[in-house]
Amino acid sequence: SQQGEEDPQALSIQEGENATMNCSYKTSINNLQWYRQNSGRGLVHLILIRSNEREKHSGRLRVTLDTSKKSSSLLITASRAADTASYFCAYSGAGSYQLTFGKGTKLSVIP
Amino acid sequence: DAGVIQSPRHEVTEMGQEVTLRCKPISGHDYLFWYRQTMMRGLELLIYFNNNVPIDDSGMPEDRFSAKMPNASFSTLKIQPSEPRDSAVYFCASSNRAHPSGANVLTFGAGSRLTVL
């Protein structure tokens, strides 16, 4: 399977703390994306980083990409209870348009 | 735009029955994807279409599964006959190849939760 792996599988933090989630993948990629899924809902696109970029910011989100290690991390700063959700990385292999999703990290932010 | 619309949201059926899941993608999107999500296997791509034409159905588990896209605004995923191991949440997602990033950024529907007894 070419499915990506996230770690940790589950993360519980206090409101205001930072949350870091990691993603590893196995193939060469064009880009890597992060999605959020609230309980009982569909996935929502958060941020995209291209293979030639090392870091990207969007509001309280910071994504890094290390293509030599085939890994990415998503940092959520100053977490809020509303950030409670599952977070998935997804990537397209070189020359491919379809996305492969990791198994996700379940984040719980305690008020 | 109302986003990607899926129906039904919940379906409970008995083994052996036919199940049809429906999807209306975002207007103007030229790609449509069907995913299945389970605790054990995560999100699996079943099939995807480009301009209503199936491009890759290698993820379809077996012949009991079929998908069609008769026009740009409608797609169905059919399971016949259904089995308990088909119980999962089925997501439809669409995307636009002309996205400014050039990447495949998906917009997901809310999903159809299928329970086969």
Side-chain angles (χ1 to χ4, degrees):
Chain A
S1 168
Q2 298 299 311
Q3 199 168 30
E5 297 289 334
E6 278 105 329
D7 80 273
Q9 288 187 320
L11 178 62
S12 184
I13 60 174
Q14 296 287 328
E15 202 166 29
E17 293 181 339
N18 296 341
T20 300
M21 289 157 271
N22 303 295
C23 167
S24 61
Y25 55 91
K26 298 178 183 177
T27 65
S28 297
I29 62 171
N30 292 326
N31 61 77
L32 187 138
Q33 303 175 41
W34 286 89
Y35 287 76
R36 182 184 73 208
Q37 183 180 31
N38 288 86
S39 181
R41 301 286 193 87
L43 283 74
V44 175
H45 178 258
L46 293 177
I47 192 167
L48 176 151
I49 186 166
R50 298 180 188 281
S51 59
N52 61 354
E53 296 176 316
R54 292 296 166 259
E55 190 170 307
K56 196 95 173 270
H57 296 255
S58 177
R60 294 185 295 112
L61 304 180
R62 182 176 80 114
V63 171
T64 62
L65 179 65
D66 186 335
T67 52
S68 65
K69 294 182 179 177
K70 290 186 167 57
S71 67
S72 173
S73 66
L74 172 67
L75 168 68
I76 303 174
T77 60
S79 64
R80 305 166 182 169
D83 295 328
T84 294
S86 292
Y87 292 82
F88 296 85
C89 68
Y91 53 89
S92 301
S96 172
Y97 194 63
Q98 62 191 65
L99 283 182
T100 300
F101 283 82
K103 292 196 171 183
T105 293
K106 188 169 185 177
L107 173 67
S108 298
V109 181
I110 302 165
Chain B
D1 200 317
V4 176
I5 308 296
Q6 290 188 247
S7 65
R9 287 296 314 277
H10 302 274
E11 174 95 3
V12 180
T13 191
E14 294 189 343
M15 183 173 64
Q17 295 298 305
E18 178 178 294
V19 173
T20 299
L21 307 178
R22 298 172 177 80
C23 175
K24 176 177 166 53
I26 288 177
S27 178
H29 279 193
D30 52 355
Y31 280 82
L32 184 141
F33 301 80
W34 282 100
Y35 282 89
R36 177 173 69 177
Q37 186 177 40
T38 61
M39 288 293 292
M40 289 297 295
R41 300 173 69 91
L43 268 164
E44 302 173 278
L45 177 64
L46 300 178
I47 185 171
Y48 76 96
F49 296 81
N50 176 219
N51 292 324
N52 314 339
V53 176
I55 301 301
D56 186 348
D57 66 354
S58 59
M60 297 286 260
E62 47 200 276
D63 291 347
R64 297 184 297 106
F65 286 69
S66 63
K68 294 182 180 178
M69 192 165 185
N71 57 63
S73 58
F74 184 64
S75 178
T76 59
L77 178 67
K78 187 172 292 186
I79 309 172
Q80 165 64 18
S82 58
E83 296 182 4
R85 60 192 166 118
D86 301 330
S87 296
V89 181
Y90 291 81
F91 287 102
C92 175
S94 69
S95 65
N96 183 357
R97 191 67 193 243
H99 189 275
S101 70
N104 184 15
V105 177
L106 298 182
T107 301
F108 280 79
S112 294
R113 181 177 294 275
L114 173 65
T115 303
V116 184
L117 304 174

